[in-house]
Amino acid sequence: DTGVSQDPRHKITKRGQNVTFRCDPISEHNRLYWYRQTLGQGPEFLTYFQNEAQLEKSRLLSDRFSAERPKGSFSTLEIQRTEQGDSAMYLCASSLDRVDPTRGFGPGTRLTVL
Amino acid sequence: QKEVEQDPGPLSVPEGAIVSLNCTYSNSAFQYFMWYRQYSRKGPELLMYTYSSGNKEDGRFTAQVDKSSKYISLFIRDSQPSDSATYLCAISNTGFQKLVFGTGTRLLVSP
C-alpha cells in the first residue's frame, strides 16, 4: 500500500457523459501526477502539479480533460463528453519535490466508456 | 520510434531461475532509470532506480544501465512465484517531472 488513494476504483459511463476522479496523495508530498494506462501498455504521463500549480500537461490531455489541485492536497481529473477511446486505467502518484522519483502509484480508477 | 522499447513477453520461468528483463531507450538526455513492478489490478510500485551507468543491487534484484548502448536491465535471482507480475522500465530527466514507461514485460514464475 503506497498511501495514495483514488476514488472511485471503477467507473462505467456512457459515451458523452462527464466523469470526475479523485486522488488523495501521501499527505506530505507536494508533487502529484496523473497517468493513463491502457491494456498491455505502460502508463503514459498526463499532467503534474507542484502544490496547487499545474506545471506540465501532455498532448494526450485534450481540451476535454481538466485537472485541478485547489489547495495543494487532493486532486481531481475531469473528462467531459467521454469517448470510447477514453477507456483506460487512470493512475495517480505523488512524490516529494524533485529529489524523489515516484515511489508508487495509487490503485487507479478503471474507466469504461460504453 | 518509441522512446522506450520493452519486450511485452510473457516470460515464463521455473521457480529458482535467474530472470533477465531488458529495455532500450532512444533519448540520451535521460539520466534516471527506474524499474517498477505491477501486480494485476494494482498500481505500479518502484523497485529500484539508478542514475547514469553501472549496477545497483537490492537483495535478489540487480539493475544495470549501459548508457553507451542505451540499454537497461533488471536481473532477478532465485525467482519466486510471488515475483509473477508485470515489470515496467521507466526513464526520467533530472527532477522526475515526467516518467516515460516501456510497455512492461509480463513475468510468470511457476512453482
PDB file of all heavy atoms in Angstrom, chain A residues 24-57:
ATOM      1  N   ASP A  24      -6.109  11.233  -3.641  1.00  0.00           N
ATOM      2  CA  ASP A  24      -5.564  11.751  -2.392  1.00  0.00           C
ATOM      3  C   ASP A  24      -4.122  11.263  -2.266  1.00  0.00           C
ATOM      4  O   ASP A  24      -3.881  10.073  -2.085  1.00  0.00           O
ATOM      5  CB  ASP A  24      -6.392  11.282  -1.201  1.00  0.00           C
ATOM      6  CG  ASP A  24      -7.708  12.011  -1.105  1.00  0.00           C
ATOM      7  OD1 ASP A  24      -8.708  11.537  -1.695  1.00  0.00           O
ATOM      8  OD2 ASP A  24      -7.728  13.084  -0.486  1.00  0.00           O
ATOM      9  N   PRO A  25      -3.152  12.181  -2.357  1.00  0.00           N
ATOM     10  CA  PRO A  25      -1.744  11.778  -2.293  1.00  0.00           C
ATOM     11  C   PRO A  25      -1.315  11.512  -0.862  1.00  0.00           C
ATOM     12  O   PRO A  25      -2.068  11.744   0.086  1.00  0.00           O
ATOM     13  CB  PRO A  25      -1.027  13.011  -2.852  1.00  0.00           C
ATOM     14  CG  PRO A  25      -1.898  14.149  -2.414  1.00  0.00           C
ATOM     15  CD  PRO A  25      -3.295  13.628  -2.489  1.00  0.00           C
ATOM     16  N   ILE A  26      -0.083  11.057  -0.709  1.00  0.00           N
ATOM     17  CA  ILE A  26       0.524  10.958   0.616  1.00  0.00           C
ATOM     18  C   ILE A  26       0.630  12.369   1.167  1.00  0.00           C
ATOM     19  O   ILE A  26       1.021  13.294   0.448  1.00  0.00           O
ATOM     20  CB  ILE A  26       1.894  10.270   0.522  1.00  0.00           C
ATOM     21  CG1 ILE A  26       1.693   8.828   0.066  1.00  0.00           C
ATOM     22  CG2 ILE A  26       2.634  10.327   1.852  1.00  0.00           C
ATOM     23  CD1 ILE A  26       2.968   8.095  -0.281  1.00  0.00           C
ATOM     24  N   SER A  27       0.283  12.556   2.421  1.00  0.00           N
ATOM     25  CA  SER A  27      -0.002  13.888   2.947  1.00  0.00           C
ATOM     26  C   SER A  27       1.164  14.877   2.814  1.00  0.00           C
ATOM     27  O   SER A  27       0.947  16.037   2.522  1.00  0.00           O
ATOM     28  CB  SER A  27      -0.441  13.807   4.404  1.00  0.00           C
ATOM     29  OG  SER A  27       0.561  13.203   5.190  1.00  0.00           O
ATOM     30  N   GLU A  28       2.381  14.475   2.979  1.00  0.00           N
ATOM     31  CA  GLU A  28       3.477  15.445   2.936  1.00  0.00           C
ATOM     32  C   GLU A  28       4.036  15.652   1.535  1.00  0.00           C
ATOM     33  O   GLU A  28       4.943  16.452   1.324  1.00  0.00           O
ATOM     34  CB  GLU A  28       4.614  15.011   3.875  1.00  0.00           C
ATOM     35  CG  GLU A  28       5.288  13.710   3.495  1.00  0.00           C
ATOM     36  CD  GLU A  28       4.671  12.499   4.160  1.00  0.00           C
ATOM     37  OE1 GLU A  28       3.479  12.568   4.511  1.00  0.00           O
ATOM     38  OE2 GLU A  28       5.383  11.489   4.308  1.00  0.00           O
ATOM     39  N   HIS A  29       3.507  14.927   0.547  1.00  0.00           N
ATOM     40  CA  HIS A  29       4.022  15.022  -0.818  1.00  0.00           C
ATOM     41  C   HIS A  29       3.475  16.255  -1.511  1.00  0.00           C
ATOM     42  O   HIS A  29       2.268  16.462  -1.582  1.00  0.00           O
ATOM     43  CB  HIS A  29       3.658  13.776  -1.616  1.00  0.00           C
ATOM     44  CG  HIS A  29       4.481  12.581  -1.239  1.00  0.00           C
ATOM     45  ND1 HIS A  29       4.364  11.373  -1.890  1.00  0.00           N
ATOM     46  CD2 HIS A  29       5.446  12.432  -0.310  1.00  0.00           C
ATOM     47  CE1 HIS A  29       5.233  10.521  -1.352  1.00  0.00           C
ATOM     48  NE2 HIS A  29       5.887  11.142  -0.394  1.00  0.00           N
ATOM     49  N   ASN A  30       4.374  17.071  -2.075  1.00  0.00           N
ATOM     50  CA  ASN A  30       3.893  18.276  -2.733  1.00  0.00           C
ATOM     51  C   ASN A  30       3.739  18.108  -4.247  1.00  0.00           C
ATOM     52  O   ASN A  30       3.188  18.974  -4.912  1.00  0.00           O
ATOM     53  CB  ASN A  30       4.803  19.468  -2.412  1.00  0.00           C
ATOM     54  CG  ASN A  30       6.253  19.199  -2.763  1.00  0.00           C
ATOM     55  OD1 ASN A  30       6.605  18.114  -3.212  1.00  0.00           O
ATOM     56  ND2 ASN A  30       7.099  20.188  -2.573  1.00  0.00           N
ATOM     57  N   ARG A  31       4.223  16.983  -4.763  1.00  0.00           N
ATOM     58  CA  ARG A  31       4.024  16.735  -6.193  1.00  0.00           C
ATOM     59  C   ARG A  31       2.949  15.671  -6.387  1.00  0.00           C
ATOM     60  O   ARG A  31       2.918  14.668  -5.669  1.00  0.00           O
ATOM     61  CB  ARG A  31       5.320  16.270  -6.837  1.00  0.00           C
ATOM     62  CG  ARG A  31       6.292  17.391  -7.107  1.00  0.00           C
ATOM     63  CD  ARG A  31       7.335  16.911  -8.064  1.00  0.00           C
ATOM     64  NE  ARG A  31       8.185  17.991  -8.510  1.00  0.00           N
ATOM     65  CZ  ARG A  31       9.129  17.853  -9.411  1.00  0.00           C
ATOM     66  NH1 ARG A  31       9.351  16.675  -9.939  1.00  0.00           N
ATOM     67  NH2 ARG A  31       9.850  18.879  -9.785  1.00  0.00           N
ATOM     68  N   LEU A  32       2.127  15.872  -7.411  1.00  0.00           N
ATOM     69  CA  LEU A  32       1.066  14.923  -7.719  1.00  0.00           C
ATOM     70  C   LEU A  32       1.020  14.745  -9.224  1.00  0.00           C
ATOM     71  O   LEU A  32       1.111  15.738  -9.968  1.00  0.00           O
ATOM     72  CB  LEU A  32      -0.277  15.430  -7.184  1.00  0.00           C
ATOM     73  CG  LEU A  32      -1.476  14.502  -7.297  1.00  0.00           C
ATOM     74  CD1 LEU A  32      -2.420  14.708  -6.128  1.00  0.00           C
ATOM     75  CD2 LEU A  32      -2.204  14.656  -8.617  1.00  0.00           C
ATOM     76  N   TYR A  33       0.895  13.512  -9.660  1.00  0.00           N
ATOM     77  CA  TYR A  33       0.957  13.181 -11.089  1.00  0.00           C
ATOM     78  C   TYR A  33      -0.289  12.374 -11.492  1.00  0.00           C
ATOM     79  O   TYR A  33      -0.790  11.573 -10.710  1.00  0.00           O
ATOM     80  CB  TYR A  33       2.172  12.294 -11.389  1.00  0.00           C
ATOM     81  CG  TYR A  33       3.497  12.784 -10.839  1.00  0.00           C
ATOM     82  CD1 TYR A  33       3.847  12.550  -9.513  1.00  0.00           C
ATOM     83  CD2 TYR A  33       4.406  13.451 -11.656  1.00  0.00           C
ATOM     84  CE1 TYR A  33       5.063  12.975  -9.015  1.00  0.00           C
ATOM     85  CE2 TYR A  33       5.629  13.873 -11.156  1.00  0.00           C
ATOM     86  CZ  TYR A  33       5.947  13.631  -9.831  1.00  0.00           C
ATOM     87  OH  TYR A  33       7.159  14.048  -9.335  1.00  0.00           O
ATOM     88  N   TRP A  34      -0.712  12.586 -12.707  1.00  0.00           N
ATOM     89  CA  TRP A  34      -1.736  11.750 -13.310  1.00  0.00           C
ATOM     90  C   TRP A  34      -1.131  11.050 -14.529  1.00  0.00           C
ATOM     91  O   TRP A  34      -0.450  11.673 -15.351  1.00  0.00           O
ATOM     92  CB  TRP A  34      -2.944  12.578 -13.758  1.00  0.00           C
ATOM     93  CG  TRP A  34      -3.829  13.048 -12.658  1.00  0.00           C
ATOM     94  CD1 TRP A  34      -3.848  14.272 -12.059  1.00  0.00           C
ATOM     95  CD2 TRP A  34      -4.871  12.296 -12.023  1.00  0.00           C
ATOM     96  NE1 TRP A  34      -4.812  14.322 -11.096  1.00  0.00           N
ATOM     97  CE2 TRP A  34      -5.465  13.127 -11.051  1.00  0.00           C
ATOM     98  CE3 TRP A  34      -5.364  10.998 -12.175  1.00  0.00           C
ATOM     99  CZ2 TRP A  34      -6.519  12.712 -10.237  1.00  0.00           C
ATOM    100  CZ3 TRP A  34      -6.406  10.577 -11.367  1.00  0.00           C
ATOM    101  CH2 TRP A  34      -6.974  11.427 -10.415  1.00  0.00           C
ATOM    102  N   TYR A  35      -1.419   9.753 -14.618  1.00  0.00           N
ATOM    103  CA  TYR A  35      -1.017   8.948 -15.764  1.00  0.00           C
ATOM    104  C   TYR A  35      -2.242   8.164 -16.255  1.00  0.00           C
ATOM    105  O   TYR A  35      -3.187   7.931 -15.509  1.00  0.00           O
ATOM    106  CB  TYR A  35       0.076   7.933 -15.383  1.00  0.00           C
ATOM    107  CG  TYR A  35       1.443   8.521 -15.195  1.00  0.00           C
ATOM    108  CD1 TYR A  35       1.772   9.230 -14.042  1.00  0.00           C
ATOM    109  CD2 TYR A  35       2.422   8.367 -16.180  1.00  0.00           C
ATOM    110  CE1 TYR A  35       3.049   9.766 -13.868  1.00  0.00           C
ATOM    111  CE2 TYR A  35       3.694   8.898 -16.013  1.00  0.00           C
ATOM    112  CZ  TYR A  35       3.998   9.593 -14.854  1.00  0.00           C
ATOM    113  OH  TYR A  35       5.256  10.126 -14.693  1.00  0.00           O
ATOM    114  N   ARG A  36      -2.164   7.719 -17.494  1.00  0.00           N
ATOM    115  CA  ARG A  36      -3.204   6.867 -18.064  1.00  0.00           C
ATOM    116  C   ARG A  36      -2.541   5.597 -18.576  1.00  0.00           C
ATOM    117  O   ARG A  36      -1.471   5.644 -19.194  1.00  0.00           O
ATOM    118  CB  ARG A  36      -3.903   7.590 -19.216  1.00  0.00           C
ATOM    119  CG  ARG A  36      -5.034   6.794 -19.853  1.00  0.00           C
ATOM    120  CD  ARG A  36      -5.731   7.605 -20.913  1.00  0.00           C
ATOM    121  NE  ARG A  36      -4.925   7.787 -22.107  1.00  0.00           N
ATOM    122  CZ  ARG A  36      -5.304   8.510 -23.140  1.00  0.00           C
ATOM    123  NH1 ARG A  36      -6.473   9.141 -23.113  1.00  0.00           N
ATOM    124  NH2 ARG A  36      -4.535   8.623 -24.193  1.00  0.00           N
ATOM    125  N   GLN A  37      -3.188   4.468 -18.316  1.00  0.00           N
ATOM    126  CA  GLN A  37      -2.642   3.192 -18.751  1.00  0.00           C
ATOM    127  C   GLN A  37      -3.726   2.388 -19.458  1.00  0.00           C
ATOM    128  O   GLN A  37      -4.778   2.110 -18.895  1.00  0.00           O
ATOM    129  CB  GLN A  37      -2.095   2.392 -17.558  1.00  0.00           C
ATOM    130  CG  GLN A  37      -1.383   1.117 -17.969  1.00  0.00           C
ATOM    131  CD  GLN A  37      -0.743   0.399 -16.781  1.00  0.00           C
ATOM    132  OE1 GLN A  37      -1.159   0.550 -15.641  1.00  0.00           O
ATOM    133  NE2 GLN A  37       0.294  -0.406 -17.046  1.00  0.00           N
ATOM    134  N   THR A  38      -3.463   2.033 -20.704  1.00  0.00           N
ATOM    135  CA  THR A  38      -4.372   1.166 -21.450  1.00  0.00           C
ATOM    136  C   THR A  38      -3.831  -0.256 -21.433  1.00  0.00           C
ATOM    137  O   THR A  38      -2.654  -0.498 -21.125  1.00  0.00           O
ATOM    138  CB  THR A  38      -4.561   1.651 -22.893  1.00  0.00           C
ATOM    139  OG1 THR A  38      -3.267   1.796 -23.499  1.00  0.00           O
ATOM    140  CG2 THR A  38      -5.274   2.990 -22.929  1.00  0.00           C
ATOM    141  N   LEU A  39      -4.681  -1.204 -21.751  1.00  0.00           N
ATOM    142  CA  LEU A  39      -4.346  -2.625 -21.638  1.00  0.00           C
ATOM    143  C   LEU A  39      -3.106  -2.974 -22.446  1.00  0.00           C
ATOM    144  O   LEU A  39      -3.017  -2.621 -23.629  1.00  0.00           O
ATOM    145  CB  LEU A  39      -5.536  -3.448 -22.134  1.00  0.00           C
ATOM    146  CG  LEU A  39      -5.586  -4.901 -21.654  1.00  0.00           C
ATOM    147  CD1 LEU A  39      -5.681  -4.974 -20.137  1.00  0.00           C
ATOM    148  CD2 LEU A  39      -6.755  -5.632 -22.303  1.00  0.00           C
ATOM    149  N   GLY A  40      -2.148  -3.606 -21.791  1.00  0.00           N
ATOM    150  CA  GLY A  40      -0.936  -4.038 -22.475  1.00  0.00           C
ATOM    151  C   GLY A  40       0.076  -2.943 -22.708  1.00  0.00           C
ATOM    152  O   GLY A  40       1.077  -3.154 -23.403  1.00  0.00           O
ATOM    153  N   GLN A  41      -0.152  -1.783 -22.145  1.00  0.00           N
ATOM    154  CA  GLN A  41       0.770  -0.655 -22.308  1.00  0.00           C
ATOM    155  C   GLN A  41       1.257  -0.167 -20.962  1.00  0.00           C
ATOM    156  O   GLN A  41       0.629  -0.421 -19.935  1.00  0.00           O
ATOM    157  CB  GLN A  41       0.072   0.495 -23.039  1.00  0.00           C
ATOM    158  CG  GLN A  41      -0.437   0.149 -24.424  1.00  0.00           C
ATOM    159  CD  GLN A  41       0.674  -0.232 -25.380  1.00  0.00           C
ATOM    160  OE1 GLN A  41       1.719   0.418 -25.436  1.00  0.00           O
ATOM    161  NE2 GLN A  41       0.476  -1.312 -26.129  1.00  0.00           N
ATOM    162  N   GLY A  42       2.365   0.534 -20.980  1.00  0.00           N
ATOM    163  CA  GLY A  42       2.825   1.177 -19.770  1.00  0.00           C
ATOM    164  C   GLY A  42       2.056   2.468 -19.526  1.00  0.00           C
ATOM    165  O   GLY A  42       1.388   2.987 -20.428  1.00  0.00           O
ATOM    166  N   PRO A  43       2.139   3.000 -18.327  1.00  0.00           N
ATOM    167  CA  PRO A  43       1.470   4.279 -18.048  1.00  0.00           C
ATOM    168  C   PRO A  43       2.012   5.403 -18.930  1.00  0.00           C
ATOM    169  O   PRO A  43       3.204   5.434 -19.249  1.00  0.00           O
ATOM    170  CB  PRO A  43       1.805   4.532 -16.571  1.00  0.00           C
ATOM    171  CG  PRO A  43       2.130   3.192 -16.000  1.00  0.00           C
ATOM    172  CD  PRO A  43       2.778   2.444 -17.115  1.00  0.00           C
ATOM    173  N   GLU A  44       1.130   6.310 -19.309  1.00  0.00           N
ATOM    174  CA  GLU A  44       1.517   7.480 -20.099  1.00  0.00           C
ATOM    175  C   GLU A  44       1.240   8.737 -19.270  1.00  0.00           C
ATOM    176  O   GLU A  44       0.143   8.889 -18.721  1.00  0.00           O
ATOM    177  CB  GLU A  44       0.717   7.543 -21.398  1.00  0.00           C
ATOM    178  CG  GLU A  44       0.972   6.382 -22.345  1.00  0.00           C
ATOM    179  CD  GLU A  44       0.026   6.431 -23.528  1.00  0.00           C
ATOM    180  OE1 GLU A  44      -1.184   6.232 -23.323  1.00  0.00           O
ATOM    181  OE2 GLU A  44       0.499   6.682 -24.650  1.00  0.00           O
ATOM    182  N   PHE A  45       2.197   9.608 -19.257  1.00  0.00           N
ATOM    183  CA  PHE A  45       2.097  10.837 -18.481  1.00  0.00           C
ATOM    184  C   PHE A  45       0.985  11.730 -19.018  1.00  0.00           C
ATOM    185  O   PHE A  45       0.861  11.956 -20.221  1.00  0.00           O
ATOM    186  CB  PHE A  45       3.436  11.573 -18.542  1.00  0.00           C
ATOM    187  CG  PHE A  45       3.421  12.943 -17.935  1.00  0.00           C
ATOM    188  CD1 PHE A  45       3.540  13.117 -16.569  1.00  0.00           C
ATOM    189  CD2 PHE A  45       3.304  14.062 -18.738  1.00  0.00           C
ATOM    190  CE1 PHE A  45       3.540  14.389 -16.012  1.00  0.00           C
ATOM    191  CE2 PHE A  45       3.305  15.332 -18.192  1.00  0.00           C
ATOM    192  CZ  PHE A  45       3.421  15.502 -16.821  1.00  0.00           C
ATOM    193  N   LEU A  46       0.178  12.273 -18.086  1.00  0.00           N
ATOM    194  CA  LEU A  46      -0.856  13.233 -18.468  1.00  0.00           C
ATOM    195  C   LEU A  46      -0.523  14.638 -17.974  1.00  0.00           C
ATOM    196  O   LEU A  46      -0.520  15.596 -18.750  1.00  0.00           O
ATOM    197  CB  LEU A  46      -2.220  12.811 -17.902  1.00  0.00           C
ATOM    198  CG  LEU A  46      -2.844  11.548 -18.477  1.00  0.00           C
ATOM    199  CD1 LEU A  46      -4.169  11.249 -17.775  1.00  0.00           C
ATOM    200  CD2 LEU A  46      -3.068  11.681 -19.979  1.00  0.00           C
ATOM    201  N   THR A  47      -0.254  14.758 -16.664  1.00  0.00           N
ATOM    202  CA  THR A  47      -0.008  16.075 -16.106  1.00  0.00           C
ATOM    203  C   THR A  47       0.580  15.934 -14.718  1.00  0.00           C
ATOM    204  O   THR A  47       0.526  14.859 -14.119  1.00  0.00           O
ATOM    205  CB  THR A  47      -1.313  16.896 -16.049  1.00  0.00           C
ATOM    206  OG1 THR A  47      -1.005  18.245 -15.671  1.00  0.00           O
ATOM    207  CG2 THR A  47      -2.309  16.303 -15.046  1.00  0.00           C
ATOM    208  N   TYR A  48       1.203  17.036 -14.229  1.00  0.00           N
ATOM    209  CA  TYR A  48       1.643  17.003 -12.847  1.00  0.00           C
ATOM    210  C   TYR A  48       1.497  18.362 -12.182  1.00  0.00           C
ATOM    211  O   TYR A  48       1.486  19.409 -12.848  1.00  0.00           O
ATOM    212  CB  TYR A  48       3.052  16.435 -12.709  1.00  0.00           C
ATOM    213  CG  TYR A  48       4.195  17.435 -12.693  1.00  0.00           C
ATOM    214  CD1 TYR A  48       4.718  17.911 -11.503  1.00  0.00           C
ATOM    215  CD2 TYR A  48       4.773  17.847 -13.893  1.00  0.00           C
ATOM    216  CE1 TYR A  48       5.780  18.792 -11.493  1.00  0.00           C
ATOM    217  CE2 TYR A  48       5.832  18.724 -13.892  1.00  0.00           C
ATOM    218  CZ  TYR A  48       6.342  19.203 -12.694  1.00  0.00           C
ATOM    219  OH  TYR A  48       7.394  20.083 -12.693  1.00  0.00           O
ATOM    220  N   PHE A  49       1.369  18.336 -10.873  1.00  0.00           N
ATOM    221  CA  PHE A  49       1.210  19.520 -10.037  1.00  0.00           C
ATOM    222  C   PHE A  49       2.367  19.598  -9.043  1.00  0.00           C
ATOM    223  O   PHE A  49       2.809  18.604  -8.493  1.00  0.00           O
ATOM    224  CB  PHE A  49      -0.094  19.429  -9.226  1.00  0.00           C
ATOM    225  CG  PHE A  49      -1.340  19.527 -10.041  1.00  0.00           C
ATOM    226  CD1 PHE A  49      -1.860  18.405 -10.671  1.00  0.00           C
ATOM    227  CD2 PHE A  49      -2.004  20.742 -10.188  1.00  0.00           C
ATOM    228  CE1 PHE A  49      -3.008  18.482 -11.426  1.00  0.00           C
ATOM    229  CE2 PHE A  49      -3.159  20.834 -10.941  1.00  0.00           C
ATOM    230  CZ  PHE A  49      -3.668  19.705 -11.562  1.00  0.00           C
ATOM    231  N   GLN A  50       2.811  20.813  -8.841  1.00  0.00           N
ATOM    232  CA  GLN A  50       3.697  21.119  -7.723  1.00  0.00           C
ATOM    233  C   GLN A  50       2.851  21.995  -6.809  1.00  0.00           C
ATOM    234  O   GLN A  50       2.502  23.123  -7.153  1.00  0.00           O
ATOM    235  CB  GLN A  50       4.934  21.888  -8.202  1.00  0.00           C
ATOM    236  CG  GLN A  50       5.824  22.348  -7.087  1.00  0.00           C
ATOM    237  CD  GLN A  50       7.061  21.488  -6.926  1.00  0.00           C
ATOM    238  OE1 GLN A  50       7.340  20.593  -7.712  1.00  0.00           O
ATOM    239  NE2 GLN A  50       7.837  21.778  -5.901  1.00  0.00           N
ATOM    240  N   ASN A  51       2.497  21.444  -5.658  1.00  0.00           N
ATOM    241  CA  ASN A  51       1.499  22.084  -4.788  1.00  0.00           C
ATOM    242  C   ASN A  51       0.225  22.303  -5.607  1.00  0.00           C
ATOM    243  O   ASN A  51      -0.267  21.354  -6.197  1.00  0.00           O
ATOM    244  CB  ASN A  51       2.066  23.360  -4.187  1.00  0.00           C
ATOM    245  CG  ASN A  51       3.301  23.086  -3.358  1.00  0.00           C
ATOM    246  OD1 ASN A  51       3.294  22.190  -2.513  1.00  0.00           O
ATOM    247  ND2 ASN A  51       4.378  23.824  -3.600  1.00  0.00           N
ATOM    248  N   GLU A  52      -0.303  23.508  -5.692  1.00  0.00           N
ATOM    249  CA  GLU A  52      -1.558  23.703  -6.426  1.00  0.00           C
ATOM    250  C   GLU A  52      -1.334  24.098  -7.875  1.00  0.00           C
ATOM    251  O   GLU A  52      -2.291  24.204  -8.645  1.00  0.00           O
ATOM    252  CB  GLU A  52      -2.433  24.747  -5.728  1.00  0.00           C
ATOM    253  CG  GLU A  52      -1.855  26.140  -5.708  1.00  0.00           C
ATOM    254  CD  GLU A  52      -0.957  26.369  -4.505  1.00  0.00           C
ATOM    255  OE1 GLU A  52      -0.578  25.384  -3.836  1.00  0.00           O
ATOM    256  OE2 GLU A  52      -0.631  27.546  -4.248  1.00  0.00           O
ATOM    257  N   ALA A  53      -0.076  24.296  -8.272  1.00  0.00           N
ATOM    258  CA  ALA A  53       0.229  24.751  -9.631  1.00  0.00           C
ATOM    259  C   ALA A  53       0.388  23.564 -10.584  1.00  0.00           C
ATOM    260  O   ALA A  53       1.173  22.647 -10.331  1.00  0.00           O
ATOM    261  CB  ALA A  53       1.508  25.575  -9.619  1.00  0.00           C
ATOM    262  N   GLN A  54      -0.349  23.623 -11.687  1.00  0.00           N
ATOM    263  CA  GLN A  54      -0.226  22.603 -12.734  1.00  0.00           C
ATOM    264  C   GLN A  54       0.918  23.022 -13.641  1.00  0.00           C
ATOM    265  O   GLN A  54       0.809  24.010 -14.373  1.00  0.00           O
ATOM    266  CB  GLN A  54      -1.537  22.483 -13.516  1.00  0.00           C
ATOM    267  CG  GLN A  54      -1.559  21.328 -14.498  1.00  0.00           C
ATOM    268  CD  GLN A  54      -2.921  21.142 -15.151  1.00  0.00           C
ATOM    269  OE1 GLN A  54      -3.762  22.049 -15.138  1.00  0.00           O
ATOM    270  NE2 GLN A  54      -3.171  19.979 -15.722  1.00  0.00           N
ATOM    271  N   LEU A  55       2.028  22.294 -13.611  1.00  0.00           N
ATOM    272  CA  LEU A  55       3.253  22.744 -14.259  1.00  0.00           C
ATOM    273  C   LEU A  55       3.477  22.154 -15.642  1.00  0.00           C
ATOM    274  O   LEU A  55       4.245  22.710 -16.422  1.00  0.00           O
ATOM    275  CB  LEU A  55       4.456  22.453 -13.360  1.00  0.00           C
ATOM    276  CG  LEU A  55       4.480  23.211 -12.030  1.00  0.00           C
ATOM    277  CD1 LEU A  55       5.779  22.947 -11.290  1.00  0.00           C
ATOM    278  CD2 LEU A  55       4.295  24.703 -12.262  1.00  0.00           C
ATOM    279  N   GLU A  56       2.914  21.010 -15.929  1.00  0.00           N
ATOM    280  CA  GLU A  56       3.123  20.417 -17.248  1.00  0.00           C
ATOM    281  C   GLU A  56       1.909  19.587 -17.625  1.00  0.00           C
ATOM    282  O   GLU A  56       1.308  18.917 -16.788  1.00  0.00           O
ATOM    283  CB  GLU A  56       4.380  19.544 -17.266  1.00  0.00           C
ATOM    284  CG  GLU A  56       4.750  19.051 -18.660  1.00  0.00           C
ATOM    285  CD  GLU A  56       6.121  18.376 -18.729  1.00  0.00           C
ATOM    286  OE1 GLU A  56       6.922  18.564 -17.796  1.00  0.00           O
ATOM    287  OE2 GLU A  56       6.366  17.677 -19.732  1.00  0.00           O
ATOM    288  N   LYS A  57       1.555  19.680 -18.907  1.00  0.00           N
ATOM    289  CA  LYS A  57       0.443  18.903 -19.449  1.00  0.00           C
ATOM    290  C   LYS A  57       0.883  18.211 -20.722  1.00  0.00           C
ATOM    291  O   LYS A  57       1.508  18.802 -21.586  1.00  0.00           O
ATOM    292  CB  LYS A  57      -0.740  19.822 -19.765  1.00  0.00           C
ATOM    293  CG  LYS A  57      -1.419  20.402 -18.542  1.00  0.00           C
ATOM    294  CD  LYS A  57      -2.336  21.563 -18.862  1.00  0.00           C
ATOM    295  CE  LYS A  57      -3.416  21.236 -19.848  1.00  0.00           C
ATOM    296  NZ  LYS A  57      -4.389  22.326 -20.001  1.00  0.00           N
TER     297      LYS A  57
END
